[in-house]
Amino acid sequence: MQGIQLSRGFYTDIVRPWLNEVAPELRHSAALIGYGSELLGFDDDVSKDHNWGPRVHIFLGRDDFGNCARRLVDEFSKVAPADYLGEPIGWRSRPHPPANGVEAAGASEHGLEFHTLEALLEGHFAVRSVENLNALQWLGFAEQKLLAFTSGAVFHDDDSRLSQTRDRLRYFPDDVWLYKIACQWRRIAEEQAFVGRAGQVGDDLGSRVIAARLVRDVMRMGFLLERRYAPYSKWLGSGFARLPIAEPLPPHLQRALHSSEWAEREDALASAYQELARRQNAIGVASFEPIVGPYHDRPFTTINADDTVEAAHSAITDAWIKQLPIVGSLDQISDLTPLLEDAKLSQRMVSQLDS
């Protein structure tokens, strides 16, 4: 059984009837969001060694949280079954402990947690509301965290606030998206000729490393063109395989990774760039005429990436975004986990784009 299905049943069969009995007037939302392989449907038997199991997040208004959340956590500890559908409900403590904070409450005895929506947003994104988000805030949100918040499942939503918040975070505003596309092509432009140059001087290992970096950049561009958030590295390939653009790309990417010749590597990557260009033109965003050929006067196969950088950048209408250096959003600048996971640090770092 997948974790989402297990947790949905836990709420429906155990938590909801209990809440109806002990707090029948309590308006709440119930969901499983925030972290865990089960949110993306990638959980398996290995996933059961940490945080996997029957668990539910209950969201309350701030007044209701203050009045009853901790009491309800304690009361549920006394009546909760030891297991549900054969799975123990006690907390599996790596890497996330039970919720415990000003507006978060949980217990190691079970997977039922109480939160305010504002506190969860603050922890995930360093904001307490998604109303009127500015472009800089969007650029400081890690895609893997946006994916974790908008994936999973909502089991119940009395006032629709949780669902509305998730809808607002479903994907980047258009100008932020175009900026990220421009920056992703810039990443490709910076290194695409180096596969051949390193190979030409006999540095086969260096050529392979650069090719692998470019394969990752192509994959992340695929997520952008399909308007999907990219998961973190463990699930990047699994998530990529679900994208419509994944059908034509893998043969080229596999060839780039497996080839023993640098010329074949760069040829495979050029074919992948062309597939990206076809998709970009097909969706009618920042269209450009892809041209594959030598890198200036050097015998390295590249695509005219600078032209698509310019096409995407020219399509941006927001004057503030347009004046930014073509550097990238948070996870285009760094993939360091502590940075991506610390929302306040993420926002502080990206704020330097505006300095």
Side-chain angles (χ1 to χ4, degrees), residues 149-281:
F149 191 87
T150 56
S151 298
V154 175
F155 310 138
H156 179 76
D157 198 7
D158 272 329
D159 59 10
S160 299
R161 287 183 64 230
L162 177 59
S163 297
Q164 291 169 3
T165 298
R166 280 161 48 95
D167 286 343
R168 290 181 186 275
L169 294 174
R170 192 65 61 185
Y171 203 67
F172 299 110
D174 284 350
D175 280 342
V176 172
W177 176 54
L178 287 166
Y179 175 75
K180 286 174 68 80
I181 289 174
C183 294
Q184 195 65 20
W185 277 114
R186 171 56 60 206
R187 288 179 60 92
I188 291 170
E190 292 293 338
E191 292 200 329
Q192 60 174 339
F194 298 165
V195 175
R197 182 62 178 136
Q200 187 186 53
V201 299
D203 181 9
D204 185 64
L205 178 60
S207 176
R208 289 174 184 270
V209 169
I210 296 166
R213 284 170 56 88
L214 286 162
V215 165
R216 183 177 183 272
D217 282 337
V218 167
M219 292 170 68
R220 290 191 68 94
M221 178 64 84
F223 281 96
L224 281 171
L225 295 179
E226 298 294 349
R227 287 181 175 263
R228 309 280 181 86
Y229 294 132
Y232 76 116
S233 58
K234 179 170 67 172
W235 301 123
L236 185 68
S238 299
F240 178 77
R242 295 178 174 181
L243 300 178
I245 201 172
E247 184 176 350
L249 277 172
H252 306 306
L253 302 183
Q254 294 283 3
R255 188 159 61 97
L257 291 173
H258 294 156
S259 176
S260 60
E261 301 292 333
W262 65 261
E264 185 176 355
R265 257 175 242 138
E266 64 176 13
D267 180 69
L269 285 165
S271 296
Y273 308 150
Q274 287 178 294
E275 292 293 347
L276 293 177
R278 291 189 189 100
R279 180 58 179 155
Q280 186 166 317
N281 289 338

Side-chain angles (χ1 to χ4, degrees), residues 18-45:
W18 172 76
L19 277 177
N20 286 342
E21 179 180 343
V22 299
E25 304 300 321
L26 186 65
R27 292 175 61 79
H28 70 278
S29 301
L32 186 60
I33 59 176
Y35 65 85
S37 301
E38 64 266 45
L39 303 188
L40 309 181
F42 294 143
D43 51 315
D44 56 18
D45 285 343

Side-chain angles (χ1 to χ4, degrees), residues 110-151:
H110 55 74
L112 177 61
E113 297 184 359
F114 288 83
H115 299 263
T116 67
L117 180 56
E118 291 80 5
L120 194 69
L121 286 171
E122 186 171 21
H124 270 272
F125 305 116
V127 302
R128 288 184 69 86
S129 171
V130 296
E131 301 286 342
N132 303 313
L133 293 173
N134 62 46
L136 191 62
Q137 288 171 314
W138 275 105
L139 292 172
F141 295 157
E143 287 197 33
Q144 65 192 47
K145 298 195 80 172
L146 287 163
L147 180 63
F149 191 87
T150 56
S151 298

Side-chain angles (χ1 to χ4, degrees), residues 1 49-50 52 54 59 80 89 151 161 168 195 197 209 214 228 239 241 244 246 251 262 268 291 297 303 314 329 336:
M1 177 181 292
D49 68 355
H50 64 280
W52 191 96
F59 295 93
I89 69 167
S151 298
R161 287 183 64 230
R168 290 181 186 275
V195 175
R197 182 62 178 136
V209 169
L214 286 162
R228 309 280 181 86
W262 65 261
I291 300 172
D297 295 329
I303 195 170
S314 296
S329 64
L336 186 65

